[in-house]
Amino acid sequence: MRVYIGDIAQSVGETVDLKGWAYNTRSSGKVKFLELRDGTGIIPCVFFAGECDDKALSVFEQITQECSVRVTGTVRKHPKHEKVFELGVKSAEIIGASPNYPITPKEHGIEFLMENRHLWLRSRRQHAILRIRAEIIAAIRDFFDGRGFTLTDSPIFTPSACEGTSNLFQTQYFDEKMFLSQSGQLYIEATAASLGKVYCFGPTFRAEKSKTRRHLIEFWMVEPEVAFNDMYDNMELAEQFVEYIIQRTLKNRAGEFKALERDTSQLAKILAPFPRLHYREAADLVKKENPEFKTGDDFGGADETIISSKYDKPVFVHHYPAAVKAFYMKEDPREPGSAMGCDLLATEGYGEIIGGGQREDNLEILQRKVHEHGLREEDFRWYLDLRRYGSFPHSGFGLGVERTVAWLCGLPHVRETIPFPRLYGRSYP
Ligand code: 4AD
C-alpha cells in the first residue's frame, strides 16, 4: 500500500510502500539507515540483515544522495522516541540514479547554491521556507475571501506606468510598446467601483538595477482596494491583515519555523493595533541617528531600520511628502504638500512590507498630477474616467509576499523566499 511519510503514524504495524529520494545514508555494523524524504516528511528506513532480503542490502550499497527509491517495509515506532517512526525495510529498489549530486552536506557558497537553485530547493531549510510561503499565501487569500472581498486580477501587460517610469520593464505587444505591470492597483480602482471590496494578487515587475537584500526584479504582491475607505480605515485593514497572516502562519507552520531555528516569540506578540507615526515624527527619529537626513527626503533602508527599532510591533508612517510619492496619492487638503500615503515598516529591520494610502479622487487635481509626473494623459484616459463618473474616496495597499516571507522566517535576504528568484544579475535557472 502506497502511503506518504507525513501520514505514517496511521500505518504503524502495517507493511507499506514508500517512494521518495535518499536524503542521507549511514551504516553502523550490521544495520544500515536510509533517511528517505518524499516532500511530506523524512523517515529513517532501517536495513537489517535477516529482516530484509539480500537484494535490498545490495540496493542499499548503490544508493547515493538524492537518487529516487521505492522501499517496502513495516512501519514501527522508534524504540526510544515517542512520536518518531521508522520503516523496517523488507525490499528496496532504485527508481532513478543520482551520480555525483552536486550539493553535498559540506558548506557551499551562495553563488553556487543560486546556480543550483533547482536542486537546492530539496534541502530541509528550503523545504521549510517554501511551506511557510505557501501558508502565507493561503492566509492572504482566506483573509480577503472571508471578508467579502472579490478577487479581480489585473493585467500583466500594461500600457502605462503606475509606480514611476524609472524602473519599467518595456516589452513588445505585437506592434505596440507595452510594459510589465509594476502594480495592479490602477485596475482594481476600476473593479472597486464595480464590487466595492476587491483585491488582486499576482507577480509584479520592477527593473531596479540595485542589489539589495530587499529587492527582487519579479515579486508577488497582494493589493486590496476598498471603496469609501479613507487612509485611517486603510491602516486598520492593513494591521488586521498582518496580524492574521502572522498568527495563522505561526500556528500552522510551527514545525517549519523550528526547522529554520527561528525564534518566533516576538512575532507571536504582534497583535493589532500598530503604532502610527506622522512622517514628521519619523523624520525627527531618523535625524537623531542619521544627521545627513533632511525633512522632505524619502527614507532609505537604514532609515526605516532606525524607525522600526523603536517599536516591538510593525509601525505605520503616514503623510509622506507628496513629492516623494506616486502621482495617484491624495494630498491631504488640511496639510498641503503631504500625501495621504501610509507605509508599514516591519520589525527587526525588515523594512517596508506594505505601501499604500488614499487615492486622489478629484479629476482636475489628478490631471495636474499626471502632467507634473511627466506622464501622458492619453495613457490614463480610462483611469481619469473613474473620477468623471461617480468618483468616490477610496484606499488600498500592496503587501510584498517575499519581504513578508523573509521577515517571518528571519532570512537575511529575499533570494530564498521564492522558488526561482529574479534578481539584478541573476535570471538563471
Ligand atoms: O510601495 P509599493 O511600490 O506600492 C505599490 O506598488 C502600490 N501601488 C500598492 C498599492 O497601494 N496597491 O510596493 C508595495 C510593496 C512594498 O511595501 C514591498 O513589500 C513590495 O511591495 N515591494 C517589493 N518587494 C520585493 N522587491 C521589490 N523590488 C519590491 N518593491 C516593492
Side-chain angles (χ1 to χ4, degrees):
M1 185 182 52
R2 167 87 193 280
V3 297
Y4 288 93
I5 298 169
D7 305 324
I8 209 78
Q10 295 155 23
S11 304
V12 174
E14 289 172 18
T15 298
V16 299
D17 252 357
L18 294 178
K19 286 181 181 150
W21 295 265
Y23 198 68
N24 208 353
T25 54
R26 68 193 156 86
S27 295
S28 143
K30 275 190 176 173
V31 197
K32 298 171 195 309
F33 297 92
L34 158 69
E35 271 191 285
L36 185 77
R37 58 163 199 91
D38 71 352
T40 67
I42 297 185
I43 190 168
C45 302
V46 186
F47 290 66
F48 187 61
E51 241 180 47
C52 61
D53 55 32
D54 288 350
K55 190 174 161 239
L57 288 173
S58 84
V59 166
F60 181 89
E61 299 307 326
Q62 294 160 41
I63 291 175
T64 55
Q65 195 188 341
E66 287 304 321
C67 73
S68 54
V69 287
R70 182 186 62 77
V71 280
T72 305
T74 311
V75 181
R76 55 192 185 215
K77 281 196 171 152
H78 191 281
K80 290 192 191 128
H81 305 285
E82 196 50 30
K83 290 194 187 155
V84 177
F85 304 92
E86 60 179 32
L87 191 79
V89 177
K90 291 206 167 72
S91 64
E93 150 195 17
I94 292 180
I95 299 171
S98 170
N100 307 318
Y101 186 70
I103 303 180
T104 57
K106 71 166 195 185
E107 284 280 306
H108 292 286
I110 188 64
E111 277 311 308
F112 178 83
L113 291 171
M114 292 302 288
E115 196 69 10
N116 286 287
R117 181 70 179 159
H118 51 298
L119 302 175
W120 188 25
L121 293 174
R122 301 182 188 191
S123 79
R124 221 184 267 251
R125 174 183 159 85
Q126 299 306 318
H127 181 270
I129 296 169
L130 293 184
R131 295 275 286 242
I132 291 171
R133 177 188 170 97
E135 185 69 37
I136 289 172
I137 291 172
I140 287 170
R141 292 192 182 282
D142 286 348
F143 180 86
F144 291 119
D145 294 344
R147 283 166 181 75
F149 283 71
T150 304
L151 176 71
T152 61
D153 283 322
S154 296
I156 302 287
F157 285 117
T158 55
S160 49
C162 177
E163 296 298 325
T165 49
S166 63
N167 59 14
L168 273 176
F169 258 113
Q170 193 177 313
T171 181
Q172 209 57 30
Y173 191 78
F174 304 105
D175 296 334
E176 281 171 69
K177 187 174 87 176
M178 290 279 262
F179 305 106
L180 299 184
S181 174
Q182 298 165 304
S183 157
Q185 177 200 317
L186 305 186
Y187 292 95
I188 53 168
E189 289 184 50
T191 58
S194 164
L195 294 150
K197 294 198 279 187
V198 295
Y199 72 105
C200 64
F201 192 11
T204 42
F205 307 85
R206 309 260 172 114
E208 264 153 334
K209 288 191 174 170
S210 58
K211 291 188 177 178
T212 81
R213 60 197 184 89
R214 293 180 186 169
H215 287 88
L216 286 155
I217 302 301
E218 177 180 316
F219 63 96
W220 283 68
M221 180 158 54
V222 58
E223 299 179 85
E225 193 71 30
V226 182
F228 305 106
N229 259 11
D230 66 14
M231 184 189 75
Y232 300 95
D233 302 323
N234 199 43
M235 288 193 275
E236 261 177 49
L237 179 68
E239 66 195 3
Q240 285 162 16
F241 177 52
V242 170
E243 174 190 304
Y244 177 81
I245 293 175
I246 296 175
Q247 298 308 329
R248 166 166 157 175
T249 307
L250 293 189
K251 180 165 161 256
N252 291 356
R253 291 287 159 226
E256 281 77 10
F257 285 111
K258 198 164 165 231
L260 295 175
E261 295 177 3
R262 171 68 162 139
D263 175 358
T264 55
S265 54
Q266 291 306 313
L267 291 173
K269 290 184 200 150
I270 295 180
L271 302 173
F274 300 162
R276 291 153 167 62
L277 282 184
H278 191 287
Y279 166 84
R280 261 193 322 270
E281 298 169 277
D284 287 345
L285 281 181
V286 171
K287 276 191 267 181
K288 283 189 196 145
E289 290 172 45
N290 172 10
E292 313 259 282
F293 186 87
K294 289 182 205 60
T295 303
D297 291 351
D298 200 359
F299 299 122
D303 302 324
E304 289 176 354
T305 303
I306 295 173
I307 301 165
S308 61
S309 68
K310 310 287 177 282
Y311 300 90
D312 51 15
K313 284 186 188 186
V315 53
F316 285 108
V317 179
H318 57 85
H319 280 97
Y320 282 78
V324 302
K325 288 291 181 189
F327 77 97
Y328 54 72
M329 287 226 180
K330 188 174 178 64
E331 257 181 69
D332 192 335
R334 287 160 306 182
E335 216 184 290
S338 291
M340 298 178 82
C342 45
D343 292 352
L344 185 68
L345 311 182
T347 55
E348 302 174 65
Y350 278 91
E352 186 205 304
I353 50 156
I354 280 185
Q358 190 166 339
R359 321 308 186 185
E360 184 53 70
D361 48 44
N362 176 287
L363 177 62
E364 286 74 34
I365 298 176
L366 192 57
Q367 277 169 322
R368 176 165 57 77
K369 291 275 175 120
V370 166
H371 291 289
E372 281 172 7
H373 279 76
L375 302 167
R376 297 188 320 170
E377 187 173 331
E378 63 188 271
D379 291 339
F380 292 93
R381 246 181 12 249
W382 68 270
Y383 185 65
L384 293 165
D385 269 356
L386 306 177
R387 280 72 185 169
R388 276 190 192 100
Y389 305 108
S391 191
F392 56 112
H394 57 291
S395 302
F397 61 83
L399 170 123
V401 169
E402 290 73 20
R403 287 195 194 169
T404 308
V405 176
W407 174 37
L408 299 199
C409 293
L411 307 176
H413 197 290
V414 287
R415 65 186 159 219
E416 288 178 64
T417 60
I418 182 164
F420 294 98
R422 295 292 171 250
L423 299 158
Y424 183 52
R426 173 159 297 282
S427 54
Y428 176 91

